[in-house]
Amino acid sequence: MRLSRSFVPTLKEIPVEAQIVSHRLMLRAGLVRQTAAGIYAWLPAGFRVLQNIAAIVRAEQDAAGAQELLMPTIQPAELWRESGRYDDYGKEMLRLQDRHERDLVYGPTNEEMITDLFRQSIRSYRELPQIVYHIQWKFRDEVRPRFGVMRGREFLMKDAYSFDLDYDGAVISYRRMMLAYMRTFRRMGLKAIPMQAESGPIGGNMSHEFIILAPTGESEVFYDAAFEEIDYSASGFDIFSADDLDRFAGLMTRHYAATDEKHDPALWAELAPERQRRGRGIEVGHVFYFGSKYSAAMGFSVAGADGRPVAPEMGSYGIGVSRLVGALIEASHDEAGIIWPDAVAPFRAAILNLRQGDAACDRLCEALYAKLDHAALYDDREERAGVKFADADLMGHPWQVIVGPRGAANGTVELKRRASGERQELALESALARIL
RNA sequence: CGGAGCGUAGCGCAGCCUGGUAGCGCAUCAGUCUGGGGGACUGGGGGUCGUGGGUUCAAAUCCCGCCGCUCCGACCA
């Protein structure tokens, strides 16, 4: 993109309403604009980040054997009456009526709907297990939206649903999603720690929150240093091997990890002091096992091997895609602005033309832009060097290719790494080689 | 939902107390000079003062209603 012709409205001053860094930086870097309380429009650069995050989530869900589909945002109230949540959910659920005065809701989640879809078509135990997911906008009418996109009312979420014939199968699905989550967050450059959210009804650790560490996080977290050492990478575990998943789950649940709400000082004290880690964290994912709660309530059963009906065991698995944009910034920024991890950056590199109109500078920049294409944001504005530096740092592109009259004369550019600040004078081809 | 506060130009704010026909910085537009970390000068443009009503000769300013937004607390992908 050429910045001179792009809708990337950066701000020099901090909008008053934004209290936390990620929100301030998202507004200043021109990623989002607020439309109503807790409701945001995603501008081109912000939307690219959102898409990049969704792509990583999608890739890891697919790799775990989950199937992508797309359910609607608007749901008939009838489904929610069946499960009993129409009354339970309270004011957080946005309710509306169509022209025929039929009750509808804007979906805050999709357990009812997916259960309905499965009961329409799945009849036999032979068709299980299955995991499906979608990445869709949700609406929860929070009493008090805040922290920008981190606690918005409208948000983009990946939610997956697993269906298994029995408990043992459900455990495997649950662990498979946990491993997929660890890989997902790791690919984004985040350190995530699964923390027990509540004891499952059957006694296992069957509800976990995934917390990423960020100094400005909303809750205090306590964890074993072991989490800094575990390697969740692809090499270690086969996501389709029940044995590997068992080994993985052991690693995830063997060590102490808890948010302040679940913190147990007695257990904590048993951990050697040099292995105790405290920090602050943000919840970016949540996995639940809830058995046949919805399948039973909504009359979904399949024929078991003996021909008798069985209510499948279910789980649901969420990742806050739009929240992750804020969380990533909370975890990675400095005084000058955002520091995007390479995997999610809206642009891999910014090309800074320090002397727009200078023949040598223009020629070099155009050559770079032609090669980098959509991976680059070309700052071709008629602005002074300082403005371009400040905006590039603010927007946080992993690389900056600085093209000024000094080097342009003999064909070199300066390559700056945003994260480290390291700069290097290079020939155009070498700079390209390092970026791509 | 309880408590507090704010709404004046794109952004940040002053003016309100003590009514008299709207101002500052940044941004923006034109021009000149400048040119490697948010430049200087000159000259422009832009506001039904959130909204409806009331008081008054006169309302951004005083009074009432409504709407919106923010912050603190209880709640959460």
Side-chain angles (χ1 to χ4, degrees), chain A residues 190-426:
Chain A
L190 293 171
K191 183 197 295 287
I193 300 177
M195 304 202 176
Q196 193 173 326
E198 63 189 54
S199 292
I202 319 199
N205 302 325
M206 293 292 272
S207 175
H208 285 88
E209 294 177 342
F210 287 77
I211 306 282
I212 63 149
L213 301 174
T216 48
E218 53 199 330
S219 47
E220 191 171 14
V221 296
F222 305 81
Y223 61 98
D224 189 319
F227 284 103
E228 293 168 351
E229 297 145 15
I230 300 170
D231 174 21
Y232 321 107
S233 64
S235 57
F237 307 97
D238 175 356
I239 202 161
F240 293 110
S241 154
D243 288 344
D244 280 15
L245 288 172
D246 188 51
R247 194 159 52 86
F248 164 76
L251 277 175
M252 290 295 96
T253 52
R254 176 155 61 237
H255 306 289
Y256 189 85
T259 60
D260 43 13
E261 291 175 349
K262 299 277 169 189
H263 185 49
D264 180 341
L267 269 175
W268 181 241
E270 291 175 17
L271 185 62
E274 70 273 14
R275 301 201 60 81
Q276 294 179 347
R277 297 283 186 277
R278 313 170 61 133
R280 302 200 68 84
I282 301 168
E283 182 186 350
V284 290
H286 204 151
V287 293
F288 292 98
Y289 159 77
F290 45 73
S292 58
K293 177 174 176 188
Y294 297 96
S295 49
M298 297 179 66
F300 170 37
S301 62
V302 298
D306 58 3
R308 297 200 181 165
V310 180
E313 297 273 312
M314 295 174 58
S316 68
Y317 314 90
I319 290 181
V321 175
S322 47
R323 168 180 283 193
L324 268 166
V325 180
L328 277 156
I329 295 171
E330 291 292 331
S332 180
H333 67 272
D334 62 17
E335 321 71 50
I338 301 168
I339 303 173
W340 286 119
D342 298 63
V344 301
F347 300 95
R348 211 166 157 63
I351 301 164
L352 309 192
N353 190 342
L354 299 192
R355 189 73 63 81
Q356 206 68 41
D358 176 90
C361 288
D362 289 357
R363 200 178 327 111
L364 263 184
C365 286
E366 291 294 342
L368 280 161
Y369 186 52
K371 286 273 171 53
L372 291 168
D373 193 30
H374 61 277
L377 181 66
Y378 175 19
D379 192 344
D380 60 342
R381 295 174 300 173
E382 291 287 348
E383 289 287 354
R384 298 171 61 88
V387 174
K388 298 193 177 188
F389 285 131
D391 272 345
D393 286 349
L394 174 63
M395 288 188 257
H397 319 286
W399 299 97
Q400 292 173 20
V401 194
I402 301 159
V403 180
R406 288 203 309 233
N410 44 41
T412 64
V413 300
E414 193 176 326
L415 185 65
K416 176 182 163 183
R417 183 71 172 156
R418 176 68 176 86
S420 62
E422 177 195 346
R423 293 153 178 269
Q424 227 179 330
E425 188 87 13
L426 294 169

Side-chain angles (χ1 to χ4, degrees), chain A residues 171-210:
Chain A
V171 168
I172 292 174
S173 293
Y174 184 89
R175 292 172 172 173
R176 182 170 291 146
M177 281 293 118
M178 279 188 87
L179 178 53
Y181 276 29
M182 293 307 286
R183 291 180 175 173
T184 301
F185 298 128
R186 195 173 138 278
R187 271 179 70 170
M188 292 173 195
L190 293 171
K191 183 197 295 287
I193 300 177
M195 304 202 176
Q196 193 173 326
E198 63 189 54
S199 292
I202 319 199
N205 302 325
M206 293 292 272
S207 175
H208 285 88
E209 294 177 342
F210 287 77

Side-chain angles (χ1 to χ4, degrees), chain A residues 147-160:
Chain A
F147 304 148
V149 299
M150 295 225 293
R151 168 126 26 266
R153 291 192 294 172
E154 187 185 54
F155 57 96
L156 187 61
M157 181 165 104
K158 186 286 299 180
D159 40 321

